[in-house]
Amino acid sequence: MTFSSTKELTSYLLSKMQPAISTVEEEIYQVIDKILAQWYGEYDPVLYERTRQLFHSLVKSELVPTTNGYQAEVYFDASKLDYSFKYLHGQKYPNHGASGEDVIQAAMHGGHGAAGWNIAATTTPIWDKSMEIIHAKIYDRIKQALSSEGISIK
């Protein structure tokens, strides 16, 4: 393939980067989602009923163009978490415990039931376990995804 300008080459490379980065973002999302599901399955609360808000707060961003490629994010969106009420035996009660950020922070380190930082149980740390898996292969996966789009990385 021949390019007549740097702008043409840049445009070509960016067009190939976009699907590659999107693929890797999805793979990262799937790793964290799998660990999150494992975390949920390791503890059965007695003092509250699960709302699964944390499970539904894991999101992927849209790809954002940068000066030299694309940026993608996978994160827990605290705005999707509302712990102002708790549920017990199907009844709704005011809850003056943890905020969405508190719950995210506790869960990232394996904690369950973070009301007032009284952790009810500790199981798989979502963040540490996910990062262990992701970091072990992220650069190889990015190289593979780019290579599958026709950009060879050496």
Side-chain angles (χ1 to χ4, degrees), residues 14-106:
L14 288 174
S15 74
K16 298 299 184 176
M17 273 187 212
Q18 188 173 15
I21 298 304
S22 183
T23 297
V24 173
E25 179 188 36
E26 177 62 28
E27 290 176 12
I28 290 170
Y29 178 91
Q30 292 303 323
V31 166
I32 297 170
D33 188 57
K34 181 179 177 182
I35 300 303
L36 179 59
Q38 177 183 344
W39 176 85
Y40 263 103
E42 290 175 341
Y43 177 65
D44 188 18
V46 176
L47 297 176
Y48 63 94
E49 294 173 10
R50 286 253 159 100
T51 61
R52 299 190 63 83
Q53 291 181 61
L54 184 64
F55 194 77
H56 298 294
S57 71
L58 181 62
V59 296
K60 295 181 295 186
S61 71
E62 295 292 323
L63 294 185
V64 177
T66 65
T67 55
N68 58 357
Y70 287 92
Q71 174 181 316
E73 294 179 313
V74 177
Y75 61 96
F76 288 89
D77 183 351
S79 73
K80 294 185 174 200
L81 305 174
D82 178 6
Y83 294 103
S84 56
F85 293 95
K86 65 181 174 182
Y87 297 87
L88 183 59
H89 306 296
Q91 298 294 316
K92 185 176 178 180
Y93 298 96
N95 185 22
H96 305 291
S99 69
E101 284 291 335
D102 291 338
V103 171
I104 290 171
Q105 287 304 314

Side-chain angles (χ1 to χ4, degrees), residues 117-129:
W117 286 106
N118 292 324
I119 305 299
T122 302
T123 59
T124 298
I126 297 168
W127 183 255
D128 295 339
K129 184 66 175 174

Side-chain angles (χ1 to χ4, degrees), residues 137-149:
K137 62 181 181 177
I138 188 68
Y139 295 109
D140 287 339
R141 281 303 303 129
I142 291 170
K143 285 170 59 175
Q144 289 171 357
L146 289 168
S147 181
S148 72
E149 292 296 325

